[in-house]
């Protein structure tokens, strides 16, 4: 039986994952407005991943006999100074997601909620990957000029990104 505080925190994280999709769609719209369609695609795919994360939590709450409750959220940041600025914003957002997942894990461990501890391990691994991905792109963006061939090659590369749900899901 999931305790109330843990249930609320799982529900809150489901909403935060939907909010994350909203944050990344706002960045995608900024990229589209800058005619950087590959970067826009990167963030549209990222938003799809976030909805997938939210749905994992939605299904988990249902599987545990709890009801998922949807909330509203604040408007995301829509304007950015540069693509580097946008990726730094995304990286900071992922660090906040990680902090929240760790807090959820702490609650689950306090409750000795082994099924939830196990469930959250997937998210902990996912956050390592997400932070590493954004960190790596930021390092590349810092090395290249925004009008260089390398920058437009990145845009072309990101146009190829697709969302494939993990096979086991
Ligand atoms: Fe669902 Fe990017 O954290």
């Amino acid at each position: 039986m999931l305790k109330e505080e843990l249930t609320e925190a799982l529900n809150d994280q489901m909403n935060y994952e939907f909010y994350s999709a909203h944050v990344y769609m706002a960045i995608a719209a900024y990229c589209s407005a800058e005619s950087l369609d590959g970067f826009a695609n990167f963030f549209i795919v990222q938003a799809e991943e976030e909805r997938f994360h939210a749905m994992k939590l939605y299904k988990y709450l249902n599987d545990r006999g709890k009801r998922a409750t949807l909330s509203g959220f604040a408007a995301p940041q829509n304007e950015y100074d540069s693509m580097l600025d946008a990726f730094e914003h995304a990286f900071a957002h992922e660090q906040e997601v990680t902090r929240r997942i760790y807090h959820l894990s702490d609650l689950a461990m306090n409750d000795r909620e082994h099924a939830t501890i196990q469930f959250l391990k997937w998210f902990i691994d996912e956050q390592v990957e997400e932070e590493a991905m954004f960190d790596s792109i930021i390092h590349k963006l810092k090395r290249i000029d925004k009008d260089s061939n390398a920058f437009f090659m990145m845009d072309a590369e990101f146009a190829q990104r697709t969302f494939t749900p993990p096979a086991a899901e």
Side-chain angles (χ1 to χ4, degrees), residues 13 16-17 20 24 46 49-54 90 93-94 97-98 101 122-123 126-127 130-131 133-134:
Q13 188 57 30
Y16 202 77
E17 298 287 351
S20 300
Y24 292 134
Q46 191 62 34
E49 288 208 1
E50 300 306 342
R51 285 186 212 102
F52 176 77
H53 298 170
H93 184 82
E94 288 303 327
V97 174
T98 300
I101 297 287
W122 184 90
F123 284 88
E126 180 74 3
Q127 283 313 115
E130 297 230 312
E131 284 196 27
M133 175 183 71
F134 282 113

Side-chain angles (χ1 to χ4, degrees), residues 7-148:
T7 302
E8 274 182 25
L10 287 163
N11 199 79
D12 189 53
Q13 188 57 30
M14 175 196 72
N15 280 294
Y16 202 77
E17 298 287 351
F18 280 127
Y19 171 63
S20 300
H22 211 50
V23 166
Y24 292 134
M25 281 310 300
I27 300 180
Y30 162 77
C31 300
S32 293
E34 295 288 312
S35 299
L36 293 166
D37 295 340
F39 282 98
N41 178 63
F42 176 95
F43 282 104
I44 289 168
V45 171
Q46 191 62 34
E48 287 182 65
E49 288 208 1
E50 300 306 342
R51 285 186 212 102
F52 176 77
H53 298 170
M55 288 308 296
K56 273 185 88 78
L57 285 148
Y58 174 92
K59 286 178 191 145
Y60 185 71
L61 284 163
N62 278 292
D63 286 350
R64 298 300 306 273
K66 299 293 181 183
R67 179 170 176 176
T69 310
L70 277 292
S71 68
F73 31 71
Q77 183 174 328
N78 282 286
E79 299 304 328
Y80 296 91
D81 294 334
S82 63
M83 201 49 64
L84 176 60
D85 184 34
F87 272 92
E88 283 179 335
H89 183 75
F91 185 46
H93 184 82
E94 288 303 327
Q95 288 175 316
E96 171 61 15
V97 174
T98 300
R99 189 192 68 72
R100 285 165 170 265
I101 297 287
Y102 283 14
H103 173 65
L104 266 174
S105 274
D106 287 345
L107 284 178
M109 283 192 275
N110 278 346
D111 289 356
R112 296 173 187 263
E113 230 308 322
H114 294 282
T116 304
I117 293 166
Q118 186 67 25
F119 170 73
L120 290 170
K121 279 189 176 146
W122 184 90
F123 284 88
I124 291 168
D125 292 343
E126 180 74 3
Q127 283 313 115
V128 171
E129 280 181 28
E130 297 230 312
E131 284 196 27
M133 175 183 71
F134 282 113
D135 192 37
S136 157
I137 294 168
I138 286 168
H139 275 93
K140 282 181 195 151
L141 283 171
K142 281 182 174 167
R143 284 204 303 267
I144 61 176
D145 191 276
K146 74 176 177 52
D147 293 321
S148 66

